[in-house]
Amino acid sequence: MGATPEATSNPCKYILVTGGVISGIGKGVIASSTGFLLRTQGLRVTSIKIDPYLNIDAGTLTPLDHGEVFVLDDGGEVDLDLGNYERFLDITLTRDNNITTGKIYRQVIERERRGDYLGKTVQVVPHITDAIQDWVERVSKLPVDDSGLPPDVCIVEMGGTVGDIESAPFIEAMRQFQFRVGHDNFCLIHVSLVPVVGSVNEQKTKPTQASVRDLRGLGLSPDLIACRSSKPLEPGVTNKISMFCHVPVANVLAVHDCNSVYHVPLLLYQQGMLNVLRTRLGLNGPHSEPGSSDLFQRWNSLTERHDRLLDEVTIALVGKYTNLHDSYISVVKSLEHAALACNKKLKVLWVEATDLEAPKQKEDPVKFHEAWKSVCTANGILVPGGFGVRGTEGMVLAAKWARENRVPYLGICLGLQIAVIEYARNVCGLDGANSTEMDEDTEHPVVIFMPEISKTHMGGTMRLGSRATVFTEASGSAVTRRLYGGAAVIHERHRHRFEVSPEYVASLEAAGLQFVGKDERGERMIIMELPGHPYFVATQFHPEYKTRPLRPVPVFLGLILAASGGLEKHLESLATASATKP
């Protein structure tokens, strides 16, 4: 059934999510969870993330400072919270769903240069604030799912913390926006911290009171307060926050630490969030939308399965940015989703690639041996994407171990290039084979720079976004193609500058390596496999960007299955299902 007339005729409802006391408090998960609950009611939901930094986008930010750079279908390089939105809401966003100060100021300055302001003095108020409001209103109407219809609800997450200097124009814009769209179409959720201090573990409300006071002083009053704490709120604490922050007791939500982020929507549901939003925004529903009727039940089953898992599967993640786990958040989520689908409890062994290299044995023998212990004892090895030479030799050693010891291996982007370099050196006999990114003067450049991309501009100049991968005619029995259900063409997201050199493909394939997926012209090597190995697969694209809790990515599913001994049985079941299709 399609959307009901009421769902399509009503104006869009806006839910603003702000944060107080500290940054990194979990606004993104709460915003995503709120959207998920609305999705279970058959409402179409979109999301916008506001990042107050001056960068145009997240593409040039180091993962060690800001976490993973998430890539969208249209090639937008955005904040990792948009990955949360896509995973929780099962939607496809665009680069315009991520607003930055840089984007807004660039737009206003370009308009000023064109003379659009007719000689007026261009100011933060009204020109910057109007541009922000216009942007939010425009993007909120863009379809984000297969229905092709505009969303019913738009969730706007305000990055940073209330009171930050850089977020002031956005707060003022939202203050004005509540009157532009009307009181019945605007709701504010404020996420705050309730710390537990002292020897008696007392929960303190003063930080939340101060944060709400700052927010109200800026012209915004919260309708709901989501209180983050290490343990459930005590009744007296809830009443105190209600009294001093001017919200009903029912609108104070306790969001304590859970077993996983998948439990957060259930926690909010149990406290009546849907009822509060229905009343506050006048939401009709539930509506009959495809896939929404049993969505809550399937999610609930997912969390129950998560809590009951006993059989463990260990994956060694050999990366360059392991000091900040958010650098690989989509990779970890992909592993989690695949492990849940296989009824396995995931254990990630974080291995800093430089710790595997020979110099580390002298510098820090303990770290060296711990790193190699993780690699040698893991059920599977994963080498994710990255840039620069640091740690690449450690990654090559990890790939060599996986190949020689028949340990399941998945390489992503750089991980594919690493596998090719290792194979070229140790199987093809090409001593010193390398990528020109790591060694411009290498005698055997098996990985080269993509020639059509700018070497001087860093931002937005990579091969980005959703691209087609065509499986070769000879790939019928390839593991990857079978995992993708025998599809002839798949579309996945890319983010890279370097690729396997076409000049070395024949030599590599003659030595046993197979490139089973290529671009539409057959020039770029996209998917690589090693026949005869339990699971030695690598992709130039980033499959982790399209994972969903209820729909894991095929190549990650393959890694977990191979690491837990269930791959062959799964492939047989896929073949049987394909044979029985009419």
Side-chain angles (χ1 to χ4, degrees):
M1 291 177 64
T4 60
E6 292 83 3
T8 56
S9 60
N10 285 341
C12 183
K13 307 291 185 178
Y14 296 88
I15 299 175
L16 176 64
V17 180
T18 59
V21 185
I22 59 172
S23 60
I25 201 170
K27 297 188 301 294
V29 173
I30 290 172
S32 301
S33 300
T34 303
F36 171 79
L37 290 179
L38 294 171
R39 284 270 291 111
T40 65
Q41 302 301 294
L43 295 166
R44 295 181 299 277
V45 183
T46 187
S47 290
I48 295 173
K49 173 68 188 296
I50 294 175
D51 283 307
Y53 48 65
L54 280 168
N55 304 63
I56 298 297
D57 59 33
T60 56
L61 297 174
T62 170
L64 290 172
D65 281 351
H66 209 71
E68 169 191 79
V69 176
F70 191 79
V71 177
L72 302 168
D73 268 2
D74 67 356
E77 297 174 285
V78 296
D79 185 84
L80 59 83
D81 277 319
L82 272 78
N84 277 330
Y85 304 153
E86 286 204 341
R87 287 189 288 270
F88 270 70
L89 306 181
D90 197 11
I91 56 178
T92 302
L93 301 175
T94 70
R95 66 180 76 229
D96 285 347
N97 289 83
N98 193 193
I99 304 176
T100 68
T101 299
K103 286 181 180 179
I104 295 295
Y105 273 78
R106 180 174 67 175
Q107 182 190 74
V108 171
I109 290 169
E110 286 175 351
R111 291 186 63 189
E112 186 275 332
R113 291 291 83 189
R114 289 197 306 265
D116 292 358
Y117 297 114
L118 301 176
K120 293 180 181 177
T121 301
V122 180
Q123 298 174 292
V124 172
V125 180
H127 301 101
I128 294 296
T129 53
D130 282 353
I132 294 166
Q133 294 176 74
D134 293 342
W135 193 302
V136 169
E137 201 163 20
R138 173 178 61 84
V139 174
S140 70
K141 298 174 182 176
L142 298 178
V144 292
D145 57 26
D146 294 336
S147 72
L149 298 172
D152 302 305
V153 180
C154 176
I155 296 177
V156 182
E157 180 192 344
M158 181 76 67
T161 307
V162 169
D164 291 345
I165 292 174
E166 57 264 30
S167 65
F170 294 100
I171 292 287
E172 171 60 21
M174 290 297 100
R175 184 193 70 78
Q176 298 173 23
F177 192 68
Q178 65 184 325
F179 302 111
R180 178 191 284 205
V181 300
H183 177 75
D184 292 340
N185 299 319
F186 185 90
C187 176
L188 197 160
I189 301 174
H190 186 62
V191 185
S192 186
L193 177 69
V194 178
V196 178
V197 298
S199 58
V200 293
N201 290 329
E202 183 182 1
Q203 292 178 321
K204 293 292 186 179
T205 65
K206 275 294 189 290
T208 297
Q209 293 179 43
S211 177
V212 171
R213 186 166 57 247
D214 289 345
L215 187 62
R216 296 181 70 188
L218 296 169
L220 289 168
S221 294
D223 297 290
L224 296 95
I225 301 177
C227 300
R228 289 283 293 112
S229 187
S230 58
K231 64 178 185 177
L233 292 188
E234 297 166 7
V237 172
T238 302
N239 292 330
K240 196 172 182 181
I241 291 173
S242 168
M243 181 190 303
F244 288 104
C245 296
H246 200 62
V247 296
V249 172
N251 294 20
V252 179
L253 307 177
V255 189
H256 56 79
D257 293 348
C258 302
N259 291 339
S260 73
V261 294
Y262 312 115
H263 290 72
V264 177
L266 306 182
L267 190 62
L268 297 176
Y269 175 80
Q270 291 161 5
Q271 297 177 72
M273 172 180 262
L274 273 177
N275 294 330
V276 173
L277 293 177
R278 279 200 200 101
T279 303
R280 176 64 184 80
L281 295 172
L283 295 172
N284 298 318
H287 304 295
S288 297
E289 281 287 327
S292 66
S293 58
D294 65 339
L295 183 57
F296 187 86
Q297 183 180 350
R298 288 188 290 139
W299 192 278
N300 193 40
S301 298
L302 179 83
T303 59
E304 289 177 354
R305 195 162 66 248
H306 177 277
D307 293 340
R308 290 198 304 261
L309 296 176
L310 295 174
D311 292 340
E312 194 172 76
V313 60
T314 58
I315 303 295
L317 194 156
V318 184
K320 297 161 62 74
Y321 319 114
T322 58
N323 289 332
L324 181 65
H325 293 180
D326 273 0
S327 301
Y328 300 111
I329 187 169
S330 289
V331 171
V332 174
K333 294 304 176 187
S334 298
L335 289 170
E336 284 182 3
H337 300 164
L340 281 167
C342 299
N343 291 316
K344 299 295 178 184
K345 185 177 182 179
L346 175 69
K347 181 180 180 182
V348 177
L349 304 176
W350 295 90
V351 180
E352 185 67 26
T354 52
D355 291 346
L356 298 173
E357 297 171 359
K360 182 62 70 173
Q361 189 172 14
K362 293 182 179 179
E363 296 170 11
D364 193 334
V366 175
K367 273 191 175 181
F368 176 80
H369 289 294
E370 285 178 349
W372 272 108
K373 180 183 177 182
S374 295
V375 169
C376 296
T377 58
N379 302 126
I381 295 172
L382 190 151
V383 177
F387 298 93
V389 67
R390 183 180 63 83
T392 52
E393 290 303 319
M395 293 177 177
V396 169
L397 292 170
K400 182 173 185 286
W401 170 268
R403 180 182 59 80
E404 292 182 343
N405 293 278
R406 299 177 61 78
V407 176
Y409 173 91
L410 176 60
I412 298 171
C413 194
L414 176 62
L416 177 141
Q417 298 165 14
I418 289 295
V420 168
I421 291 168
E422 188 280 322
Y423 204 83
R425 291 179 184 176
N426 300 311
V427 178
C428 299
L430 303 176
D431 292 340
N434 214 331
S435 165
T436 54
E437 180 183 14
M438 320 305 171
D439 181 4
E440 291 185 357
D441 302 320
T442 178
E443 186 179 350
H444 298 292
V446 293
V447 176
I448 60 172
F449 188 77
M450 297 192 308
E452 79 272 21
I453 302 298
S454 168
K455 288 189 177 183
T456 57
H457 288 75
M458 298 296 286
T461 59
M462 289 182 278
R463 183 171 166 83
L464 287 164
S466 181
R467 306 294 179 100
T469 297
V470 181
F471 283 103
T472 63
E473 292 183 5
S475 67
S477 61
V479 171
T480 310
R481 186 170 185 180
R482 292 160 68 190
L483 286 168
Y484 276 95
V489 181
I490 59 174
H491 290 81
E492 295 283 0
R493 299 176 185 178
H494 290 246
R495 185 176 187 251
H496 63 97
R497 288 190 176 90
F498 292 79
E499 63 179 312
V500 177
S501 172
E503 294 182 9
Y504 286 87
V505 169
S507 301
L508 291 164
E509 291 194 322
L513 212 57
Q514 287 187 359
F515 294 99
V516 299
K518 302 180 181 181
D519 73 339
E520 293 163 306
R521 295 184 177 182
E523 298 172 351
R524 301 173 188 268
M525 305 301 114
I526 309 297
I527 303 176
M528 180 217 79
E529 285 187 15
L530 181 60
H533 191 283
Y535 191 79
F536 198 89
V537 171
T539 66
Q540 189 59 69
F541 55 74
H542 286 263
E544 71 270 23
Y545 292 141
K546 296 179 76 170
T547 187
R548 300 289 187 268
L550 300 172
R551 193 173 66 251
V553 176
V555 289
F556 278 89
L557 188 62
L559 176 66
I560 296 296
L561 285 165
S564 56
L567 180 59
E568 285 305 319
K569 185 177 179 180
H570 178 73
L571 294 175
E572 288 172 8
S573 67
L574 289 177
T576 303
S578 178
T580 56
K581 280 185 179 179

